[in-house]
Amino acid sequence: MSVFAVILCGGSGTRMGAPVNKTLLSVDGEKAVVKALRAFLAETDGAVLVVKEGEQGSFEAALREAGVSVHAIVPGGFDRQASALAGLRALPEECEIALIHDGARPFIRREDIRSVIQSVKEKGSGVMAVKARDTIKEADEKGKVVRTLNRDVLYHMQTPQGFYVKDMLRAHENAKERFTDDAALMENAGYPVHLVQGHYDNTKLTSPEDLPVQNILPRIGHGYDVHRLCEGRALIIGGVEIPHETGLLGHSDADVALHALTDALLGAAGLPDIGHLFPDNDPKYKGISSLLLLEKAMERIREKGFEVGNADVTIVAQAPKMAPHLEKMKENTAKAMGVNVNRINYKATTTEHLGFEGEKKGISAHAVALLIART
Ligand code: MG
């Protein structure tokens, strides 16, 4: 039996506040519509895309770039119902079952598509739905509760919604009202509508809040730095001036820990390293506090849409003892980064008198940082 998907991509996206059609937004490194299409093309005989007038070119380009092809890309109508009908009319003649799907639901699972198809074959319809998890109340216009509905019999409708094409075309022809989904149209036309239990993560990209949840992309970065110890310099580590007979040599305040950390953060963001951003031959940075460099680096990182998950720094020094200063280092660092102090950690180790750190010729620091992208 020939099964096709009709993917609706005509939503205005006004609630998303995005400059592009929300089905063309990137999700998991792929355009939402392409991600949905891959699932449907693996389980059906093909698909028709219904897009807004004038946006055909953008969708053609997106599919070409992704190496995905569909039976047709057609312009939609003035509302969802008209768009679904336009999609049904563009199906090839041999198609018997159509699955109507929102292009803004990229997280649809292949197994759920199979269940919907199975339900149509067995019962004539299959509509993806999930049980209501929150208590739902009915209220009057003034917001006063009229009654509490029985949650056990309430479902949230999702897509895909599958029916026989001939049934759907008949329902569309006879429809006297406008409906918000195909299930309602079919129900009103007297066809039994059977629910298929889906998954809560088959969410629709509707408001900007949907994206951060779905688009979290962790990025890790590593940083390493060494500075030589010499007399006549202050010892500044993690933004803390530590009383000691020697200090670290460098163009800036030579804060080895902050340099390693800044490089870890920049690395996670895919930005050039600290030496590239703040050249050590630039007089502007002579003697500058590395807390300021970290602050500036964080600006660049946030401009790229990243937030800090956490960061961990290890200072390698034979002397002096770092332990009494670690808390203050965390505080200074978190403040410069504009994050909660519980996201920052500092540790210290000696090298048992081995190597340049052990011989007190220098101090090194390692750092790892996790950034979270909100694209
Ligand atoms: Mg350095």
Side-chain angles (χ1 to χ4, degrees):
M1 208 175 283
S2 168
V3 181
F4 273 70
V6 173
I7 316 275
L8 305 178
C9 302
S12 67
T14 47
R15 274 179 293 177
M16 185 60 81
V20 295
N21 185 307
K22 62 190 175 182
T23 67
L24 291 174
L25 288 173
S26 174
V27 171
D28 292 344
E30 196 151 54
K31 295 198 165 43
V33 62
V34 171
K35 191 170 160 64
L37 261 178
R38 286 198 199 281
F40 279 97
L41 293 177
E43 299 296 338
T44 64
D45 300 300
V48 166
L49 283 196
V50 185
V51 305
K52 241 195 299 192
E53 192 81 60
E55 288 192 338
Q56 273 130 305
S58 312
F59 281 88
E60 277 163 19
L63 298 199
R64 205 180 313 121
E65 189 192 320
V68 167
S69 58
V70 293
H71 175 71
I73 301 179
V74 296
F78 63 95
D79 67 2
R80 186 196 161 91
Q81 195 167 321
S83 293
L85 181 58
L88 290 172
R89 286 186 173 147
L91 288 169
E93 211 163 316
E94 76 269 15
C95 173
E96 287 161 274
I97 293 173
L99 310 179
I100 312 284
H101 186 69
D102 299 321
R105 287 189 197 271
F107 306 104
I108 182 67
R109 302 177 190 207
R110 283 177 58 180
E111 71 210 63
D112 287 345
I113 296 171
R114 282 200 293 274
S115 304
V116 167
I117 295 170
Q118 196 57 33
S119 177
V120 179
K121 286 179 179 170
E122 286 170 8
K123 303 171 189 165
S125 62
V127 173
M128 195 105 278
V130 286
K131 272 189 111 81
R133 287 193 290 194
D134 298 321
T135 298
I136 300 180
K137 292 183 190 289
E138 190 181 318
D140 64 19
E141 322 76 73
K142 288 178 182 144
K144 184 169 158 284
V145 171
V146 177
R147 63 190 173 122
T148 300
L149 304 170
N150 176 12
R151 191 172 62 181
D152 293 339
V153 297
L154 294 175
Y155 291 85
H156 293 283
M157 293 299 108
Q158 299 182 339
T159 66
Q161 302 192 347
F163 298 93
Y164 284 106
V165 176
K166 61 175 174 27
D167 294 346
M168 292 186 94
L169 286 173
R170 196 170 304 133
H172 273 282
E173 273 160 33
N174 299 331
K176 305 262 184 307
E177 300 167 53
R178 309 307 295 174
F179 300 95
T180 52
D181 71 353
D182 308 278
L185 169 80
M186 297 303 283
E187 187 189 331
N188 193 265
Y191 291 94
V193 174
H194 293 278
L195 301 182
V196 177
Q197 201 69 239
H199 289 89
Y200 292 99
D201 59 11
N202 179 28
T203 53
K204 189 174 177 181
L205 308 176
T206 305
S207 62
E209 299 91 77
D210 298 330
L211 278 176
V213 183
Q214 306 296 359
N215 262 27
I216 285 177
L217 175 68
R219 307 238 331 180
I220 198 164
H222 169 258
Y224 172 67
D225 195 28
V226 176
H227 281 266
R228 188 185 291 276
L229 279 165
C230 67
E231 284 175 7
R233 289 271 301 182
L235 178 63
I236 297 168
I237 301 183
V240 178
E241 185 163 346
I242 302 170
H244 195 54
E245 64 268 21
T246 53
L248 293 171
L249 185 63
H251 181 68
S252 64
D253 64 358
D255 192 325
V256 66
L258 289 187
H259 292 181
L261 173 61
T262 305
D263 263 353
L265 291 162
L266 291 168
L271 287 165
D273 68 17
I274 187 170
H276 193 276
L277 288 184
F278 314 110
D280 66 5
N281 51 15
D282 189 333
K284 187 161 66 180
Y285 301 120
K286 189 166 164 47
I288 195 171
S289 164
S290 298
L291 287 168
L292 277 176
L293 301 183
L294 175 60
E295 228 178 274
K296 283 179 190 292
M298 280 306 302
E299 279 171 25
R300 296 283 302 269
I301 288 161
R302 289 203 170 96
E303 272 166 25
K304 284 198 80 178
F306 293 106
E307 250 324 312
V308 177
N310 73 306
D312 183 32
V313 183
T314 301
I315 302 158
V316 185
Q318 195 63 46
K321 286 214 178 313
M322 296 293 155
H325 310 289
L326 297 178
E327 282 308 313
K328 188 70 191 155
M329 290 178 190
K330 282 186 209 174
E331 277 172 36
N332 291 348
T333 304
K335 196 169 163 220
M337 289 170 67
V339 300
N340 191 295
V341 72
N342 65 16
R343 293 182 183 261
I344 308 300
N345 193 48
Y346 271 90
K347 310 185 299 297
T349 183
T350 70
T351 60
E352 304 276 339
H353 301 283
L354 294 168
F356 66 85
E357 300 102 329
E359 291 165 12
K360 301 180 192 170
K361 287 179 182 165
I363 292 179
S364 68
H366 301 258
V368 285
L370 187 80
L371 294 180
I372 294 163
R374 301 202 152 175
T375 52

PDB file of all heavy atoms in Angstrom, residues 272-304:
ATOM      1  N   PRO A 272      39.874  31.955  18.232  1.00  0.00           N
ATOM      2  CA  PRO A 272      41.332  31.922  18.326  1.00  0.00           C
ATOM      3  C   PRO A 272      41.788  32.070  19.780  1.00  0.00           C
ATOM      4  O   PRO A 272      41.028  32.551  20.616  1.00  0.00           O
ATOM      5  CB  PRO A 272      41.789  33.142  17.515  1.00  0.00           C
ATOM      6  CG  PRO A 272      40.602  33.643  16.786  1.00  0.00           C
ATOM      7  CD  PRO A 272      39.389  33.125  17.471  1.00  0.00           C
ATOM      8  N   ASP A 273      43.027  31.696  20.081  1.00  0.00           N
ATOM      9  CA  ASP A 273      43.477  31.672  21.470  1.00  0.00           C
ATOM     10  C   ASP A 273      43.758  33.076  22.024  1.00  0.00           C
ATOM     11  O   ASP A 273      43.716  34.082  21.316  1.00  0.00           O
ATOM     12  CB  ASP A 273      44.664  30.720  21.653  1.00  0.00           C
ATOM     13  CG  ASP A 273      45.919  31.219  20.949  1.00  0.00           C
ATOM     14  OD1 ASP A 273      46.001  32.418  20.600  1.00  0.00           O
ATOM     15  OD2 ASP A 273      46.834  30.393  20.749  1.00  0.00           O
ATOM     16  N   ILE A 274      44.084  33.109  23.289  1.00  0.00           N
ATOM     17  CA  ILE A 274      44.244  34.362  24.028  1.00  0.00           C
ATOM     18  C   ILE A 274      45.356  35.241  23.435  1.00  0.00           C
ATOM     19  O   ILE A 274      45.219  36.452  23.342  1.00  0.00           O
ATOM     20  CB  ILE A 274      44.478  34.052  25.530  1.00  0.00           C
ATOM     21  CG1 ILE A 274      44.486  35.325  26.377  1.00  0.00           C
ATOM     22  CG2 ILE A 274      45.747  33.236  25.759  1.00  0.00           C
ATOM     23  CD1 ILE A 274      44.465  35.041  27.878  1.00  0.00           C
ATOM     24  N   GLY A 275      46.445  34.604  22.991  1.00  0.00           N
ATOM     25  CA  GLY A 275      47.563  35.349  22.413  1.00  0.00           C
ATOM     26  C   GLY A 275      47.168  36.029  21.115  1.00  0.00           C
ATOM     27  O   GLY A 275      47.696  37.077  20.751  1.00  0.00           O
ATOM     28  N   HIS A 276      46.223  35.434  20.423  1.00  0.00           N
ATOM     29  CA  HIS A 276      45.743  35.987  19.164  1.00  0.00           C
ATOM     30  C   HIS A 276      44.790  37.151  19.422  1.00  0.00           C
ATOM     31  O   HIS A 276      44.833  38.174  18.739  1.00  0.00           O
ATOM     32  CB  HIS A 276      45.039  34.868  18.387  1.00  0.00           C
ATOM     33  CG  HIS A 276      44.763  35.201  16.959  1.00  0.00           C
ATOM     34  ND1 HIS A 276      43.646  35.908  16.568  1.00  0.00           N
ATOM     35  CD2 HIS A 276      45.460  34.915  15.832  1.00  0.00           C
ATOM     36  CE1 HIS A 276      43.668  36.046  15.262  1.00  0.00           C
ATOM     37  NE2 HIS A 276      44.752  35.454  14.786  1.00  0.00           N
ATOM     38  N   LEU A 277      43.947  36.993  20.433  1.00  0.00           N
ATOM     39  CA  LEU A 277      42.966  38.046  20.742  1.00  0.00           C
ATOM     40  C   LEU A 277      43.613  39.245  21.432  1.00  0.00           C
ATOM     41  O   LEU A 277      43.205  40.378  21.236  1.00  0.00           O
ATOM     42  CB  LEU A 277      41.850  37.495  21.636  1.00  0.00           C
ATOM     43  CG  LEU A 277      40.858  36.535  20.985  1.00  0.00           C
ATOM     44  CD1 LEU A 277      39.758  36.171  21.981  1.00  0.00           C
ATOM     45  CD2 LEU A 277      40.221  37.132  19.736  1.00  0.00           C
ATOM     46  N   PHE A 278      44.597  38.963  22.292  1.00  0.00           N
ATOM     47  CA  PHE A 278      45.252  40.024  23.065  1.00  0.00           C
ATOM     48  C   PHE A 278      46.764  39.886  22.901  1.00  0.00           C
ATOM     49  O   PHE A 278      47.441  39.370  23.788  1.00  0.00           O
ATOM     50  CB  PHE A 278      44.870  39.912  24.558  1.00  0.00           C
ATOM     51  CG  PHE A 278      43.399  39.702  24.802  1.00  0.00           C
ATOM     52  CD1 PHE A 278      42.928  38.483  25.272  1.00  0.00           C
ATOM     53  CD2 PHE A 278      42.481  40.725  24.568  1.00  0.00           C
ATOM     54  CE1 PHE A 278      41.571  38.279  25.505  1.00  0.00           C
ATOM     55  CE2 PHE A 278      41.122  40.528  24.790  1.00  0.00           C
ATOM     56  CZ  PHE A 278      40.666  39.306  25.256  1.00  0.00           C
ATOM     57  N   PRO A 279      47.310  40.339  21.760  1.00  0.00           N
ATOM     58  CA  PRO A 279      48.736  40.110  21.451  1.00  0.00           C
ATOM     59  C   PRO A 279      49.662  40.675  22.536  1.00  0.00           C
ATOM     60  O   PRO A 279      49.415  41.761  23.047  1.00  0.00           O
ATOM     61  CB  PRO A 279      48.939  40.858  20.131  1.00  0.00           C
ATOM     62  CG  PRO A 279      47.573  41.080  19.571  1.00  0.00           C
ATOM     63  CD  PRO A 279      46.628  41.117  20.726  1.00  0.00           C
ATOM     64  N   ASP A 280      50.729  39.921  22.856  1.00  0.00           N
ATOM     65  CA  ASP A 280      51.605  40.358  23.949  1.00  0.00           C
ATOM     66  C   ASP A 280      52.600  41.430  23.510  1.00  0.00           C
ATOM     67  O   ASP A 280      53.447  41.851  24.287  1.00  0.00           O
ATOM     68  CB  ASP A 280      52.281  39.165  24.646  1.00  0.00           C
ATOM     69  CG  ASP A 280      53.247  38.438  23.737  1.00  0.00           C
ATOM     70  OD1 ASP A 280      53.470  38.907  22.597  1.00  0.00           O
ATOM     71  OD2 ASP A 280      53.770  37.385  24.158  1.00  0.00           O
ATOM     72  N   ASN A 281      52.490  41.874  22.205  1.00  0.00           N
ATOM     73  CA  ASN A 281      53.327  43.014  21.808  1.00  0.00           C
ATOM     74  C   ASN A 281      52.488  44.291  21.741  1.00  0.00           C
ATOM     75  O   ASN A 281      52.958  45.336  21.339  1.00  0.00           O
ATOM     76  CB  ASN A 281      54.028  42.747  20.461  1.00  0.00           C
ATOM     77  CG  ASN A 281      53.046  42.283  19.395  1.00  0.00           C
ATOM     78  OD1 ASN A 281      51.823  42.425  19.550  1.00  0.00           O
ATOM     79  ND2 ASN A 281      53.563  41.735  18.311  1.00  0.00           N
ATOM     80  N   ASP A 282      51.212  44.184  22.142  1.00  0.00           N
ATOM     81  CA  ASP A 282      50.330  45.347  22.132  1.00  0.00           C
ATOM     82  C   ASP A 282      50.463  46.066  23.474  1.00  0.00           C
ATOM     83  O   ASP A 282      50.123  45.510  24.520  1.00  0.00           O
ATOM     84  CB  ASP A 282      48.889  44.877  21.912  1.00  0.00           C
ATOM     85  CG  ASP A 282      47.925  46.046  21.673  1.00  0.00           C
ATOM     86  OD1 ASP A 282      48.211  47.155  22.168  1.00  0.00           O
ATOM     87  OD2 ASP A 282      46.897  45.827  21.017  1.00  0.00           O
ATOM     88  N   PRO A 283      50.960  47.320  23.470  1.00  0.00           N
ATOM     89  CA  PRO A 283      51.185  48.041  24.730  1.00  0.00           C
ATOM     90  C   PRO A 283      49.903  48.195  25.563  1.00  0.00           C
ATOM     91  O   PRO A 283      49.956  48.343  26.786  1.00  0.00           O
ATOM     92  CB  PRO A 283      51.704  49.409  24.272  1.00  0.00           C
ATOM     93  CG  PRO A 283      51.525  49.490  22.813  1.00  0.00           C
ATOM     94  CD  PRO A 283      51.337  48.098  22.283  1.00  0.00           C
ATOM     95  N   LYS A 284      48.767  48.112  24.878  1.00  0.00           N
ATOM     96  CA  LYS A 284      47.468  48.229  25.536  1.00  0.00           C
ATOM     97  C   LYS A 284      47.297  47.163  26.634  1.00  0.00           C
ATOM     98  O   LYS A 284      46.583  47.362  27.612  1.00  0.00           O
ATOM     99  CB  LYS A 284      46.416  48.038  24.428  1.00  0.00           C
ATOM    100  CG  LYS A 284      45.004  48.265  24.793  1.00  0.00           C
ATOM    101  CD  LYS A 284      44.122  48.515  23.553  1.00  0.00           C
ATOM    102  CE  LYS A 284      44.037  47.268  22.661  1.00  0.00           C
ATOM    103  NZ  LYS A 284      43.218  47.463  21.472  1.00  0.00           N
ATOM    104  N   TYR A 285      47.937  46.008  26.428  1.00  0.00           N
ATOM    105  CA  TYR A 285      47.749  44.900  27.361  1.00  0.00           C
ATOM    106  C   TYR A 285      48.888  44.744  28.360  1.00  0.00           C
ATOM    107  O   TYR A 285      48.912  43.811  29.138  1.00  0.00           O
ATOM    108  CB  TYR A 285      47.538  43.583  26.583  1.00  0.00           C
ATOM    109  CG  TYR A 285      46.339  43.657  25.668  1.00  0.00           C
ATOM    110  CD1 TYR A 285      46.479  43.492  24.295  1.00  0.00           C
ATOM    111  CD2 TYR A 285      45.080  43.935  26.176  1.00  0.00           C
ATOM    112  CE1 TYR A 285      45.382  43.585  23.446  1.00  0.00           C
ATOM    113  CE2 TYR A 285      43.972  44.040  25.339  1.00  0.00           C
ATOM    114  CZ  TYR A 285      44.139  43.862  23.971  1.00  0.00           C
ATOM    115  OH  TYR A 285      43.059  43.975  23.150  1.00  0.00           O
ATOM    116  N   LYS A 286      49.850  45.698  28.341  1.00  0.00           N
ATOM    117  CA  LYS A 286      50.994  45.593  29.253  1.00  0.00           C
ATOM    118  C   LYS A 286      50.519  45.738  30.704  1.00  0.00           C
ATOM    119  O   LYS A 286      49.866  46.718  31.054  1.00  0.00           O
ATOM    120  CB  LYS A 286      52.033  46.678  28.923  1.00  0.00           C
ATOM    121  CG  LYS A 286      53.319  46.488  29.679  1.00  0.00           C
ATOM    122  CD  LYS A 286      54.434  47.345  29.091  1.00  0.00           C
ATOM    123  CE  LYS A 286      55.607  47.471  30.049  1.00  0.00           C
ATOM    124  NZ  LYS A 286      56.051  46.226  30.653  1.00  0.00           N
ATOM    125  N   GLY A 287      50.825  44.729  31.497  1.00  0.00           N
ATOM    126  CA  GLY A 287      50.485  44.753  32.914  1.00  0.00           C
ATOM    127  C   GLY A 287      48.998  44.630  33.210  1.00  0.00           C
ATOM    128  O   GLY A 287      48.567  44.744  34.352  1.00  0.00           O
ATOM    129  N   ILE A 288      48.194  44.380  32.179  1.00  0.00           N
ATOM    130  CA  ILE A 288      46.734  44.343  32.362  1.00  0.00           C
ATOM    131  C   ILE A 288      46.333  43.144  33.226  1.00  0.00           C
ATOM    132  O   ILE A 288      46.982  42.094  33.196  1.00  0.00           O
ATOM    133  CB  ILE A 288      46.014  44.299  30.985  1.00  0.00           C
ATOM    134  CG1 ILE A 288      44.526  44.639  31.143  1.00  0.00           C
ATOM    135  CG2 ILE A 288      46.199  42.942  30.306  1.00  0.00           C
ATOM    136  CD1 ILE A 288      43.798  44.824  29.813  1.00  0.00           C
ATOM    137  N   SER A 289      45.267  43.342  34.001  1.00  0.00           N
ATOM    138  CA  SER A 289      44.749  42.229  34.805  1.00  0.00           C
ATOM    139  C   SER A 289      44.120  41.191  33.880  1.00  0.00           C
ATOM    140  O   SER A 289      43.314  41.522  33.007  1.00  0.00           O
ATOM    141  CB  SER A 289      43.697  42.734  35.788  1.00  0.00           C
ATOM    142  OG  SER A 289      42.962  41.627  36.281  1.00  0.00           O
ATOM    143  N   SER A 290      44.499  39.951  34.085  1.00  0.00           N
ATOM    144  CA  SER A 290      43.957  38.892  33.229  1.00  0.00           C
ATOM    145  C   SER A 290      42.468  38.676  33.474  1.00  0.00           C
ATOM    146  O   SER A 290      41.790  38.059  32.656  1.00  0.00           O
ATOM    147  CB  SER A 290      44.743  37.602  33.433  1.00  0.00           C
ATOM    148  OG  SER A 290      46.083  37.822  33.046  1.00  0.00           O
ATOM    149  N   LEU A 291      41.959  39.188  34.600  1.00  0.00           N
ATOM    150  CA  LEU A 291      40.508  39.127  34.832  1.00  0.00           C
ATOM    151  C   LEU A 291      39.786  39.938  33.754  1.00  0.00           C
ATOM    152  O   LEU A 291      38.709  39.570  33.299  1.00  0.00           O
ATOM    153  CB  LEU A 291      40.162  39.677  36.226  1.00  0.00           C
ATOM    154  CG  LEU A 291      40.523  38.778  37.416  1.00  0.00           C
ATOM    155  CD1 LEU A 291      40.401  39.539  38.728  1.00  0.00           C
ATOM    156  CD2 LEU A 291      39.651  37.523  37.451  1.00  0.00           C
ATOM    157  N   LEU A 292      40.421  41.057  33.351  1.00  0.00           N
ATOM    158  CA  LEU A 292      39.825  41.881  32.293  1.00  0.00           C
ATOM    159  C   LEU A 292      39.853  41.163  30.949  1.00  0.00           C
ATOM    160  O   LEU A 292      38.918  41.253  30.155  1.00  0.00           O
ATOM    161  CB  LEU A 292      40.583  43.209  32.167  1.00  0.00           C
ATOM    162  CG  LEU A 292      40.178  44.304  33.142  1.00  0.00           C
ATOM    163  CD1 LEU A 292      41.076  45.536  32.972  1.00  0.00           C
ATOM    164  CD2 LEU A 292      38.720  44.703  32.910  1.00  0.00           C
ATOM    165  N   LEU A 293      40.962  40.440  30.698  1.00  0.00           N
ATOM    166  CA  LEU A 293      41.068  39.685  29.439  1.00  0.00           C
ATOM    167  C   LEU A 293      39.991  38.593  29.403  1.00  0.00           C
ATOM    168  O   LEU A 293      39.361  38.355  28.376  1.00  0.00           O
ATOM    169  CB  LEU A 293      42.459  39.056  29.289  1.00  0.00           C
ATOM    170  CG  LEU A 293      43.658  40.020  29.298  1.00  0.00           C
ATOM    171  CD1 LEU A 293      44.957  39.248  29.074  1.00  0.00           C
ATOM    172  CD2 LEU A 293      43.502  41.106  28.231  1.00  0.00           C
ATOM    173  N   LEU A 294      39.792  37.949  30.566  1.00  0.00           N
ATOM    174  CA  LEU A 294      38.779  36.904  30.665  1.00  0.00           C
ATOM    175  C   LEU A 294      37.383  37.497  30.405  1.00  0.00           C
ATOM    176  O   LEU A 294      36.572  36.912  29.678  1.00  0.00           O
ATOM    177  CB  LEU A 294      38.839  36.267  32.060  1.00  0.00           C
ATOM    178  CG  LEU A 294      37.772  35.227  32.412  1.00  0.00           C
ATOM    179  CD1 LEU A 294      37.812  34.048  31.452  1.00  0.00           C
ATOM    180  CD2 LEU A 294      37.960  34.731  33.852  1.00  0.00           C
ATOM    181  N   GLU A 295      37.156  38.675  30.981  1.00  0.00           N
ATOM    182  CA  GLU A 295      35.866  39.351  30.784  1.00  0.00           C
ATOM    183  C   GLU A 295      35.617  39.641  29.301  1.00  0.00           C
ATOM    184  O   GLU A 295      34.535  39.396  28.782  1.00  0.00           O
ATOM    185  CB  GLU A 295      35.923  40.675  31.551  1.00  0.00           C
ATOM    186  CG  GLU A 295      34.734  40.952  32.424  1.00  0.00           C
ATOM    187  CD  GLU A 295      34.922  42.266  33.174  1.00  0.00           C
ATOM    188  OE1 GLU A 295      35.544  42.235  34.250  1.00  0.00           O
ATOM    189  OE2 GLU A 295      34.466  43.319  32.668  1.00  0.00           O
ATOM    190  N   LYS A 296      36.668  40.140  28.633  1.00  0.00           N
ATOM    191  CA  LYS A 296      36.551  40.459  27.202  1.00  0.00           C
ATOM    192  C   LYS A 296      36.338  39.188  26.384  1.00  0.00           C
ATOM    193  O   LYS A 296      35.551  39.168  25.433  1.00  0.00           O
ATOM    194  CB  LYS A 296      37.817  41.169  26.697  1.00  0.00           C
ATOM    195  CG  LYS A 296      37.894  42.631  27.096  1.00  0.00           C
ATOM    196  CD  LYS A 296      39.200  43.226  26.558  1.00  0.00           C
ATOM    197  CE  LYS A 296      39.462  44.614  27.113  1.00  0.00           C
ATOM    198  NZ  LYS A 296      38.500  45.618  26.621  1.00  0.00           N
ATOM    199  N   ALA A 297      37.042  38.128  26.759  1.00  0.00           N
ATOM    200  CA  ALA A 297      36.881  36.855  26.043  1.00  0.00           C
ATOM    201  C   ALA A 297      35.442  36.351  26.198  1.00  0.00           C
ATOM    202  O   ALA A 297      34.836  35.859  25.242  1.00  0.00           O
ATOM    203  CB  ALA A 297      37.872  35.820  26.571  1.00  0.00           C
ATOM    204  N   MET A 298      34.892  36.494  27.413  1.00  0.00           N
ATOM    205  CA  MET A 298      33.516  36.046  27.650  1.00  0.00           C
ATOM    206  C   MET A 298      32.520  36.817  26.777  1.00  0.00           C
ATOM    207  O   MET A 298      31.522  36.251  26.334  1.00  0.00           O
ATOM    208  CB  MET A 298      33.145  36.199  29.130  1.00  0.00           C
ATOM    209  CG  MET A 298      33.656  35.112  30.045  1.00  0.00           C
ATOM    210  SD  MET A 298      33.217  33.426  29.533  1.00  0.00           S
ATOM    211  CE  MET A 298      31.430  33.527  29.496  1.00  0.00           C
ATOM    212  N   GLU A 299      32.818  38.103  26.539  1.00  0.00           N
ATOM    213  CA  GLU A 299      31.937  38.880  25.647  1.00  0.00           C
ATOM    214  C   GLU A 299      31.896  38.246  24.266  1.00  0.00           C
ATOM    215  O   GLU A 299      30.844  38.087  23.665  1.00  0.00           O
ATOM    216  CB  GLU A 299      32.432  40.330  25.519  1.00  0.00           C
ATOM    217  CG  GLU A 299      32.032  41.211  26.679  1.00  0.00           C
ATOM    218  CD  GLU A 299      32.723  42.572  26.624  1.00  0.00           C
ATOM    219  OE1 GLU A 299      33.108  43.018  25.510  1.00  0.00           O
ATOM    220  OE2 GLU A 299      32.886  43.175  27.696  1.00  0.00           O
ATOM    221  N   ARG A 300      33.096  37.887  23.780  1.00  0.00           N
ATOM    222  CA  ARG A 300      33.186  37.264  22.444  1.00  0.00           C
ATOM    223  C   ARG A 300      32.445  35.931  22.415  1.00  0.00           C
ATOM    224  O   ARG A 300      31.783  35.582  21.443  1.00  0.00           O
ATOM    225  CB  ARG A 300      34.664  37.020  22.063  1.00  0.00           C
ATOM    226  CG  ARG A 300      35.490  38.289  21.927  1.00  0.00           C
ATOM    227  CD  ARG A 300      35.193  38.995  20.611  1.00  0.00           C
ATOM    228  NE  ARG A 300      35.457  38.148  19.451  1.00  0.00           N
ATOM    229  CZ  ARG A 300      36.612  38.088  18.814  1.00  0.00           C
ATOM    230  NH1 ARG A 300      37.617  38.843  19.193  1.00  0.00           N
ATOM    231  NH2 ARG A 300      36.770  37.306  17.768  1.00  0.00           N
ATOM    232  N   ILE A 301      32.588  35.185  23.507  1.00  0.00           N
ATOM    233  CA  ILE A 301      31.976  33.858  23.600  1.00  0.00           C
ATOM    234  C   ILE A 301      30.453  33.975  23.619  1.00  0.00           C
ATOM    235  O   ILE A 301      29.751  33.238  22.930  1.00  0.00           O
ATOM    236  CB  ILE A 301      32.527  33.132  24.848  1.00  0.00           C
ATOM    237  CG1 ILE A 301      33.988  32.725  24.589  1.00  0.00           C
ATOM    238  CG2 ILE A 301      31.668  31.939  25.236  1.00  0.00           C
ATOM    239  CD1 ILE A 301      34.783  32.416  25.834  1.00  0.00           C
ATOM    240  N   ARG A 302      29.945  34.944  24.375  1.00  0.00           N
ATOM    241  CA  ARG A 302      28.487  35.128  24.446  1.00  0.00           C
ATOM    242  C   ARG A 302      27.924  35.643  23.125  1.00  0.00           C
ATOM    243  O   ARG A 302      26.819  35.293  22.735  1.00  0.00           O
ATOM    244  CB  ARG A 302      28.115  36.069  25.590  1.00  0.00           C
ATOM    245  CG  ARG A 302      28.338  35.429  26.950  1.00  0.00           C
ATOM    246  CD  ARG A 302      27.496  36.052  28.059  1.00  0.00           C
ATOM    247  NE  ARG A 302      27.588  35.257  29.271  1.00  0.00           N
ATOM    248  CZ  ARG A 302      28.429  35.514  30.276  1.00  0.00           C
ATOM    249  NH1 ARG A 302      29.217  36.571  30.227  1.00  0.00           N
ATOM    250  NH2 ARG A 302      28.457  34.725  31.333  1.00  0.00           N
ATOM    251  N   GLU A 303      28.742  36.468  22.425  1.00  0.00           N
ATOM    252  CA  GLU A 303      28.311  36.950  21.104  1.00  0.00           C
ATOM    253  C   GLU A 303      28.058  35.779  20.161  1.00  0.00           C
ATOM    254  O   GLU A 303      27.233  35.852  19.251  1.00  0.00           O
ATOM    255  CB  GLU A 303      29.400  37.837  20.456  1.00  0.00           C
ATOM    256  CG  GLU A 303      29.314  39.288  20.830  1.00  0.00           C
ATOM    257  CD  GLU A 303      30.582  40.050  20.449  1.00  0.00           C
ATOM    258  OE1 GLU A 303      31.302  39.608  19.518  1.00  0.00           O
ATOM    259  OE2 GLU A 303      30.850  41.071  21.111  1.00  0.00           O
ATOM    260  N   LYS A 304      28.804  34.703  20.360  1.00  0.00           N
ATOM    261  CA  LYS A 304      28.631  33.526  19.503  1.00  0.00           C
ATOM    262  C   LYS A 304      27.483  32.635  19.980  1.00  0.00           C
ATOM    263  O   LYS A 304      27.257  31.565  19.430  1.00  0.00           O
ATOM    264  CB  LYS A 304      29.927  32.705  19.451  1.00  0.00           C
ATOM    265  CG  LYS A 304      30.983  33.329  18.558  1.00  0.00           C
ATOM    266  CD  LYS A 304      32.063  32.341  18.169  1.00  0.00           C
ATOM    267  CE  LYS A 304      31.644  31.414  17.041  1.00  0.00           C
ATOM    268  NZ  LYS A 304      32.706  30.484  16.638  1.00  0.00           N
TER     269      LYS A 304
END
